[in-house]
Amino acid sequence: MREVFHQSLEDVQSRLVEIADLVTIAIDRATRAFGTSDVSLAEEVIEADAIIDEKAVELDELAIEILARQQPVARDLRIVVTALRVSASLERMGDMAEHIAQLARSRFPERAIPKGLKSTFTRMGELDVEVARKLAELLRTQDLRLAEAIRDDDDAIDELHVNVFEKVLGDSWKGEATATVDATLASRYHERFADHAVSVAKKVIYLATGDWAGADDDTVVEPSPVI
């Protein structure tokens, strides 16, 4: 029975890694679609989000089944409960990638990136992709150095996020209302994507060290998607 139980825990981990890999693909395609107005690529991201959602639900069902049948305790219980929370964060990261793709699609054939902010959003996209790659590797290896690197990338994204708001609220901003909305929404999506990655990284640190240290606050006010 213990062998079956530990196999189930390994299955949980492998599924988390699989979802993280799908999220990495999603944010890479979404940021490229956003930067180049590639509507076909945007559509791929939007359609693939359903797969991420499905994988997350399947993982949650497996975790609940483990809780019901195996009744784990101590560290094993923490692993399963944490997996449920990580799954939710990964699913939200997939949603953020989808929202960025929706922005690209909604403005096609025009570019969603307002004039004067192209370099900023290009860098935000690059950092989000790096965050996703590092997060997938963190879940795969539990190398805590990656968790620190994710936090550093998140700090850089936060700084760019502030710069976007300063730009669109400044006296020199000449963008139309649509451009202002696009810029603020896109910046928010990029920033929230990284925030969820930091949340996952903190949970991995907790599992590895047992030190919560105020590690997590999942209360994140999400921006509305583009309709």
Side-chain angles (χ1 to χ4, degrees):
M1 286 295 293
R2 292 298 296 177
E3 183 177 347
V4 172
F5 174 58
H6 285 294
Q7 181 60 49
S8 296
L9 292 182
E10 290 177 5
D11 191 14
V12 166
Q13 180 188 4
S14 66
R15 290 185 186 218
L16 284 175
V17 172
E18 180 186 14
I19 297 171
D21 285 338
L22 291 174
V23 167
T24 301
I25 294 170
I27 192 63
D28 177 56
R29 290 177 175 173
T31 54
R32 285 193 284 125
F34 185 68
T36 63
S37 295
D38 188 332
V39 71
S40 296
L41 200 57
E43 290 285 0
E44 288 180 18
V45 177
I46 294 166
E47 292 174 5
D49 186 62
I51 298 175
I52 294 174
D53 293 346
E54 181 181 349
K55 296 288 185 183
V57 169
E58 290 173 354
L59 188 148
D60 291 350
E61 290 175 348
L62 173 61
I64 291 170
E65 181 180 348
I66 292 172
L67 289 172
R69 294 189 176 185
Q70 303 294 338
Q71 299 181 348
V73 296
R75 175 175 168 77
D76 291 340
L77 176 60
R78 292 200 302 272
I79 290 173
V80 178
V81 173
T82 299
L84 285 166
R85 302 179 71 189
V86 168
S87 172
S89 291
L90 291 173
E91 188 271 335
R92 291 304 295 150
M93 290 173 73
D95 287 345
M96 294 301 104
E98 181 191 17
H99 295 343
I100 293 169
Q102 286 175 332
L103 266 178
R105 183 179 67 176
S106 69
R107 300 302 173 229
F108 181 80
E110 302 297 326
R111 290 201 174 189
I113 298 180
K115 293 181 179 179
L117 288 171
K118 181 175 176 56
S119 62
T120 299
F121 278 111
T122 296
R123 184 57 183 151
M124 290 182 83
E126 291 171 348
L127 286 169
D128 269 346
V129 172
E130 279 301 307
V131 162
R133 288 173 177 164
K134 289 170 183 173
L135 185 61
E137 189 64 16
L138 173 63
L139 291 170
R140 187 177 285 110
T141 65
Q142 287 80 54
D143 182 350
L144 299 188
R145 291 172 297 181
L146 291 166
E148 189 61 35
I150 288 169
R151 291 191 202 185
D152 291 341
D153 288 341
D154 177 61
D155 289 342
I157 292 169
D158 287 344
E159 185 175 342
L160 291 168
H161 179 57
V162 171
N163 289 342
V164 170
F165 273 73
E166 290 177 345
K167 178 80 171 179
V168 300
L169 294 175
D171 294 335
S172 62
W173 177 250
K174 303 302 181 183
E176 298 178 355
T178 299
T180 302
V181 171
D182 287 348
T184 53
L185 278 177
S187 184
R188 187 73 161 171
Y189 297 150
H190 282 84
E191 185 259 347
R192 280 298 178 236
F193 183 92
D195 281 351
H196 283 293
V198 170
S199 177
V200 173
K202 288 178 178 179
K203 294 177 178 71
V204 175
I205 292 173
Y206 168 66
L207 280 177
T209 66
D211 182 14
W212 197 248
D216 190 45
D217 180 2
D218 280 337
T219 305
V220 178
V221 179
E222 299 291 1
S224 299
V226 176
I227 304 300

